[in-house]
Amino acid sequence: MPEDIILAIDTSCDDTSAAVVEGGRQIISSIVSGQNQVHERFGGIVPELASRRHLEIIADVVDEALRAASILLSSVSAIAVCKGPGLVGSLIVGTAFAKSLAYVHRLPFIGVNHLEGHICSAFLKEGQPPTLPFISLVVSGGHTSLYRVDGLGQYRELGRSRDDAAGEAYDKVAKMLGLGFPGGPAIDCLAKAGNAKAVPFPRAYMPHTLDFSFSGLKTSVRSYIANNTFAVEDICASFQAAVIDVLIRKIEWAIEKENIAAVALSGGVAANDALRERLGQLKGVKTYVPPKPLCTDNAAMIAAAAHAQFLKGEFDGFSLNPKAYLPVG
Ligand code: KG4
Ligand code: ZN
C-alpha cells in the first residue's frame, strides 16, 4: 500500500518552513527560510516583523518544497500546519495559508502542536531513532520540557521550565555580551575557547522535580558582567556549563524515575555541540540526537507528528484557531 504524503508548514516563530514527508519518516523535501537579518538589529524577534516576513515569502517557500519534492499538490494526502504554541501573528499566516490550500484542493487538514513536532523529529528517518519508550528533552528558545514517549502520539510531560527556556537564556546572555541574535550558536562557538570553570555560575537543580529554572542563572551572569572584568569566552563557557549540567542532571533523574534508558534530544539548543557531546557520554543509555537542521524549527517534524493523526483520521475543521500557549496532549 502506498504511504501517505504530507505537505507541512511551520510559521510558529521566525522561520518560514515547508516540507514534504512520506509515511511520517521519509523527508522528500524540507525548506527553511530564516529571518535573522530582519531581527538581529533589535537583539530579538519583533513579532509584527516576523508575521509580515512570513506573509511575504510563504508562497515561495511552499512552492520550493513542492518543486524540490517533484510533486504536485494533487498527489498530496493531507496538509498539516503548526497550530501553536508560538507567536500568534506568525501562526495565523501559516494556518490561513494551509487552510486555503486544503480548502481549494479538498485535502484533509491537520493542525499540529509545535512541541509534538519537536518530539517527533526523533521518528524521521535521518538516523537511528531510539527504541520505545524513550525520554524526550525538547530544549528550544520557547520551551525546555521533558516528556516520556511511548509511541507516535503518546506523550506525557514529566517537567518543564518554570521561567525562561534554556534557549531564551542563551539569547539573553548573548545580548548582554553584544553577540547578536540568535545567541545560541555564538555562545556555542566562543565557549570552545573559554574556561568552563572560570566563573561558578549557579545550577538550579531543584531536587524532587523534573522542572527547570534558568532565570536565576541569567541574573547571575548579568550581575557578574556588571561587576567584574572578564574574557567573553570564559563567560560563554561557564554559562554554558551551568545550563548543560542542569539539563544532563534532569535527564539522568528522568531515566531513573521512569526506568527508561533511551533519550532523544530536540529543539534549537539540541544543536549545541557541547550538549550533544555530554549526552553521548551517558553510560548505558541509548541516545538519539537529530541532525542539526532537524533540531531547529522545521516543517518536516510537523509532518512526522501529523502522520499519527492522519493514520487515525483525526482531521481538523477550517475553524481551527492557532494558540500562543498549547500544552502537549
Ligand atoms: O527550536 P528553535 O529553532 O525555535 C524555537 O522553537 O524556539 O530554537 C531556537 C533557539 C534559540 O534560542 C537559539 O539561540 C537556540 O535555539 N540555539 C542554540 C544553538 N543553535 C540554536 N543554542 C545553543 N547552541 C546552539 N548551537
Ligand atoms: Zn521550536
Side-chain angles (χ1 to χ4, degrees):
M1 199 173 120
E3 296 263 38
D4 55 275
I5 295 179
I6 295 181
L7 168 67
I9 293 171
D10 185 294
T11 58
S12 56
C13 195
D14 62 333
D15 291 315
T16 316
S17 52
V20 177
V21 174
E22 188 173 358
R25 276 176 59 72
Q26 182 72 52
I27 300 174
I28 308 179
S29 68
S30 177
I31 307 295
V32 181
S33 178
Q35 303 183 355
N36 289 349
Q37 282 171 328
V38 176
H39 304 286
E40 66 191 351
R41 68 195 163 103
F42 301 102
I45 297 165
V46 182
E48 184 182 333
L49 297 183
S51 317
R52 290 179 183 278
R53 186 67 186 144
H54 287 307
L55 199 55
E56 279 169 4
I57 64 166
I58 189 160
D60 287 344
V61 169
V62 170
D63 259 354
E64 208 179 323
L66 290 168
R67 220 178 12 249
S70 304
I71 202 169
L72 296 173
L73 265 173
S74 51
S75 313
V76 164
S77 321
I79 305 282
V81 71
C82 171
K83 63 180 179 181
L87 301 172
V88 163
S90 291
L91 289 163
I92 286 175
V93 176
T95 43
F97 194 85
K99 277 183 194 184
S100 310
L101 289 182
Y103 176 78
V104 170
H105 294 273
R106 300 279 168 219
L107 289 166
F109 174 61
I110 303 170
V112 173
N113 184 308
H114 184 79
L115 297 170
E116 289 192 22
H118 275 302
I119 294 170
C120 288
S121 59
F123 293 108
L124 291 163
K125 204 174 165 184
E126 298 295 311
Q128 189 56 52
T131 46
L132 291 165
F134 62 87
I135 302 293
S136 171
L137 174 68
V138 177
V139 61
S140 70
H143 300 88
T144 302
S145 305
L146 273 166
Y147 301 93
R148 177 193 166 107
V149 180
D150 285 287
L152 197 54
Q154 294 170 266
Y155 325 108
R156 181 160 57 81
E157 188 182 272
L158 303 172
R160 63 160 79 180
S161 179
R162 294 182 182 175
D163 42 56
D164 291 356
E168 194 180 347
Y170 265 95
D171 293 336
K172 286 179 179 163
V173 167
K175 194 172 176 180
M176 292 173 209
L177 295 169
L179 300 178
F181 177 85
I187 291 182
D188 188 3
C189 185
L190 287 166
K192 291 182 176 114
N195 174 8
K197 295 202 169 104
V199 189
F201 288 126
R203 275 90 166 137
Y205 288 122
M206 300 193 296
H208 314 301
T209 172
L210 291 174
D211 284 350
F212 301 87
S213 168
F214 293 104
S215 70
L217 171 60
K218 179 191 68 189
T219 308
S220 176
V221 174
R222 178 174 288 121
S223 153
Y224 189 89
I225 289 174
N227 297 301
N228 296 276
T229 50
F230 56 86
V232 172
E233 291 83 356
D234 288 347
I235 299 293
C236 290
S238 301
F239 158 77
Q240 178 162 286
V243 173
I244 295 177
D245 280 354
V246 171
L247 295 177
I248 295 290
R249 177 76 61 89
K250 295 281 171 169
I251 286 173
E252 287 173 332
W253 287 351
I255 289 171
E256 208 178 294
K257 181 167 175 278
E258 297 295 318
N259 196 20
I260 294 175
V263 180
L265 276 193
S266 60
V269 182
N272 184 275
D273 286 329
L275 175 59
R276 295 164 86 93
E277 196 184 320
R278 284 281 299 279
L279 188 79
Q281 288 165 357
L282 289 181
K283 294 229 163 30
V285 179
K286 282 193 188 145
T287 58
Y288 175 68
V289 188
K292 290 185 182 182
L294 295 179
C295 291
T296 44
D297 286 351
N298 66 89
M301 67 186 198
I302 300 297
H307 175 69
Q309 289 166 245
F310 183 85
L311 293 180
K312 287 188 266 179
E314 282 175 8
F315 304 130
D316 285 282
F318 290 133
S319 59
L320 178 85
N321 216 337
K323 300 241 173 357
Y325 301 98
L326 195 62
V328 167

